[in-house]
Amino acid sequence: MVDKDEFRKKIIISAGQIFSRYGFRKTTMDELAKALKMGKSSIYYYFKSKEEIFEAVILSEANMLRNELTKAIKSVDSPIDKVKNYVFVRMKTFEKLSNYYNAIFDKNLDHFDFIETIRSKYDREELAILRLLIYHGAREKVFRVVNSEYTALAVQTALKGLEVPLFWKKREMDLEKRLNAILDVLFYGIVRKQASEA
Amino acid sequence: MVDKDEFRKKIIISAGQIFSRYGFRKTTMDELAKALKMGKSSIYYYFKSKEEIFEAVILSEANMLRNELTKAIKSVDSPIDKVKNYVFVRMKTFEKLSNYYNAIFDKNLDHFDFIETIRSKYDREELAILRLLIYHGAREKVFRVVNSEYTALAVQTALKGLEVPLFWKKREMDLEKRLNAILDVLFYGIVRKQASEA
DNA sequence: GAATCTTCGACCATTTTGTTCTGATAATTT
DNA sequence: AAATTATCAGAACAAAATGGTCGAAGATTC
């Protein structure tokens, strides 16, 4: 009873590693079984299908991302740093949680309903966070913002657009440097002139 | 006629990348075809089988390794540096030519005859090079060596033994640092006392 | 030792995949 | 331009791989 959930987590971790390496399609149940040192059919005692395992992995990674992000936001005070941290952590964590990343972007996985669910849920959550960050920044007169709702949407759209080229040319240049450059641009369009970083 | 060989090379390069990512087993002819933007069956105009493509890839990588090694040896003069470079380049190049590396070590590929052929051929070549390096070092009184044949064999055996743990724990520590440490040990057992690095 | 939880191997239906075959089209030669 | 050859792609196929099922057999608990 108790152990069952515990073992589910083990499966999720192990499966997450293998999925991230080979993708959903190329990962076989036999492989998962071997990695877990158990018979293939035993896995079905814990999960109903390969898809369900994948879903659990994605969900787990989505939660990790959320945790990382909220932690990153709380770790600093100034609105600028909050946004900066948010973008940074978002990009860097995406790199690690490649299952989640692929689930969001891989067109081959489109037909999984739960991915669409997660996708939109993640979008809504992110938008809410961004709106809050921007709203606070505007309140403290650090950001010049007319409508935080629209600005948040704009920032989110920009971030989404950035992901693709950011990951496509992953090895070409230092991720941090590129991110910093992008953030500079972002802030020079948002930050008030002569704003102090209080 | 001429173009055919040229296109074969293209296939080898493209296939090499995909094989290195997914391994021989998980790579499908369809994938190779898509990467080459041609029909799956068209590939069979250039190669007789998937196995033959793999063989060509391995052979190509083996040649690259050989080139890198000879270049590395020629680039320095002192026997110590030659051996040092040899080991370094051998290990670092192995990392990139992962098809070759996997072909040599992956037990799932044991049943391919040509791998055994390459394996032993590579062994012989390497032994000859090492023997030469050591012989020269002994001649210049930098190495204390009784029988360069046996010493070369000993060094080769040591290198082989090192590969496995070196790659198994790839991410744990800096490869260069570990290699340097190992080389230190190797040389302190081989280099004459008060030897000058001429 | 009955009842329940957990694992496994054998088996199955379906899909995937390496390969072949046939023919179409482009290139080259005669 | 006819004939030959080189190059390619789609359909078809046999064999292999794979996700999933089922009943039985170990464990574990009561």
Side-chain angles (χ1 to χ4, degrees):
Chain A
M1 295 255 193
V2 172
D3 299 299
K4 201 168 175 182
D5 268 341
E6 206 55 41
F7 203 81
R8 271 210 183 86
K9 284 182 192 168
K10 276 197 180 171
I11 294 180
I12 291 175
I13 291 172
S14 184
Q17 293 170 346
I18 303 180
F19 277 138
S20 80
R21 184 156 171 185
Y22 296 119
F24 178 79
R25 191 94 193 291
K26 281 179 187 284
T27 299
T28 84
M29 295 298 285
D30 260 320
E31 264 176 315
L32 297 186
K34 281 223 172 119
L36 290 162
K37 279 168 187 159
M38 56 162 43
K40 175 173 65 162
S41 43
S42 304
I43 299 182
Y44 286 85
Y45 179 70
Y46 297 95
F47 288 94
K48 208 160 47 188
S49 68
K50 185 183 173 187
E51 245 182 78
E52 206 183 85
I53 299 177
F54 190 61
E55 185 174 344
V57 169
I58 301 296
L59 233 65
S60 156
E61 291 195 357
N63 282 333
M64 285 188 203
L65 177 62
R66 201 208 325 267
N67 289 343
E68 291 289 325
L69 286 177
T70 56
K71 199 172 65 186
I73 293 176
K74 285 182 183 164
S75 73
V76 289
D77 278 331
S78 87
I80 287 188
D81 285 340
K82 276 182 192 292
V83 174
K84 198 182 266 185
N85 264 11
Y86 181 89
V87 176
F88 248 85
V89 171
R90 180 196 143 110
M91 296 299 189
K92 298 202 82 175
T93 308
F94 254 47
E95 219 179 358
K96 309 219 162 167
L97 307 183
S98 58
N99 287 310
Y100 184 66
Y101 174 73
N102 284 324
I104 300 290
F105 289 102
D106 195 334
K107 286 188 178 174
N108 277 2
L109 299 173
D110 263 350
H111 52 93
F112 290 129
D113 319 4
F114 71 90
I115 286 183
E116 203 40 59
T117 310
I118 293 182
R119 209 185 305 223
S120 67
K121 187 182 164 199
Y122 167 71
D123 270 5
R124 257 181 291 119
E125 279 186 18
E126 171 160 79
L127 199 60
I129 294 176
L130 285 177
R131 194 175 44 206
L132 213 68
L133 291 185
I134 290 171
Y135 180 73
H136 275 62
R139 203 118 206 237
E140 295 188 23
K141 313 262 187 201
V142 183
F143 296 157
R144 55 164 186 77
V145 171
V146 184
N147 183 325
S148 57
E149 173 73 32
Y150 289 154
T151 306
L153 202 62
V155 171
Q156 188 185 38
T157 307
L159 288 183
K160 281 190 164 197
L162 283 175
E163 276 157 7
V164 180
L166 223 48
F167 280 94
W168 230 86
K169 304 195 165 187
K170 199 184 287 184
R171 39 198 97 134
E172 263 189 20
M173 225 186 94
D174 188 13
L175 179 71
E176 307 230 0
K177 279 194 178 175
R178 288 222 307 272
L179 267 181
N180 264 320
I182 288 163
L183 281 169
D184 266 4
V185 174
L186 180 67
F187 284 135
Y188 274 119
I190 284 187
V191 175
R192 281 186 150 209
K193 310 262 158 106
Q194 303 118 2
S196 67
E197 289 203 19
Chain B
M1 295 258 194
V2 172
D3 299 300
K4 202 168 175 180
D5 268 342
E6 206 55 40
F7 202 80
R8 271 211 183 86
K9 284 182 191 169
K10 276 198 180 170
I11 295 180
I12 290 175
I13 291 173
S14 184
Q17 292 171 346
I18 304 180
F19 278 139
S20 80
R21 184 154 171 186
Y22 297 119
F24 177 79
R25 192 95 190 288
K26 281 179 188 285
T27 299
T28 89
M29 294 298 283
D30 258 320
E31 267 176 312
L32 297 186
K34 280 217 174 126
L36 291 162
K37 281 167 186 159
M38 57 161 40
K40 176 171 62 164
S41 46
S42 304
I43 299 181
Y44 286 85
Y45 180 70
Y46 297 94
F47 288 95
K48 209 160 47 190
S49 68
K50 184 183 173 186
E51 208 178 306
E52 205 185 85
I53 300 177
F54 189 61
E55 184 174 343
V57 168
I58 301 296
L59 232 65
S60 157
E61 291 195 357
N63 282 333
M64 285 188 204
L65 177 62
R66 201 210 324 268
N67 289 343
E68 291 290 323
L69 286 177
T70 56
K71 199 171 65 186
I73 293 176
K74 283 181 184 165
S75 72
V76 290
D77 279 330
S78 86
I80 286 188
D81 285 340
K82 276 182 194 293
V83 174
K84 198 182 263 185
N85 264 12
Y86 182 89
V87 176
F88 249 84
V89 171
R90 179 194 145 111
M91 296 299 188
K92 297 203 83 174
T93 308
F94 255 48
E95 219 179 357
K96 309 218 162 168
L97 307 183
S98 59
N99 288 309
Y100 184 65
Y101 174 73
N102 283 324
I104 300 290
F105 289 102
D106 194 335
K107 286 189 177 173
N108 277 1
L109 300 172
D110 263 350
H111 53 90
F112 290 131
D113 318 5
F114 72 89
I115 286 183
E116 202 40 58
T117 309
I118 293 182
R119 207 184 307 221
S120 68
K121 186 182 164 199
Y122 167 70
D123 271 6
R124 258 181 290 119
E125 280 185 19
E126 170 160 80
L127 198 61
I129 294 176
L130 285 177
R131 193 175 45 206
L132 213 68
L133 291 186
I134 289 171
Y135 179 74
H136 275 61
R139 202 113 204 243
E140 296 186 23
K141 314 263 187 200
V142 183
F143 296 157
R144 54 161 188 78
V145 170
V146 184
N147 182 326
S148 57
E149 173 75 32
Y150 289 153
T151 306
L153 203 62
V155 171
Q156 187 186 38
T157 308
L159 288 184
K160 280 188 165 199
L162 283 175
E163 276 157 7
V164 180
L166 223 48
F167 281 93
W168 230 86
K169 306 195 165 188
K170 199 184 287 185
R171 37 200 97 136
E172 264 189 21
M173 225 187 93
D174 187 14
L175 179 71
E176 306 229 0
K177 279 194 178 176
R178 289 223 306 273
L179 267 182
N180 264 319
I182 288 163
L183 281 169
D184 265 3
V185 174
L186 180 67
F187 283 135
Y188 274 118
I190 284 187
V191 175
R192 282 186 150 209
K193 311 263 161 105
Q194 301 118 5
S196 68
E197 289 203 17

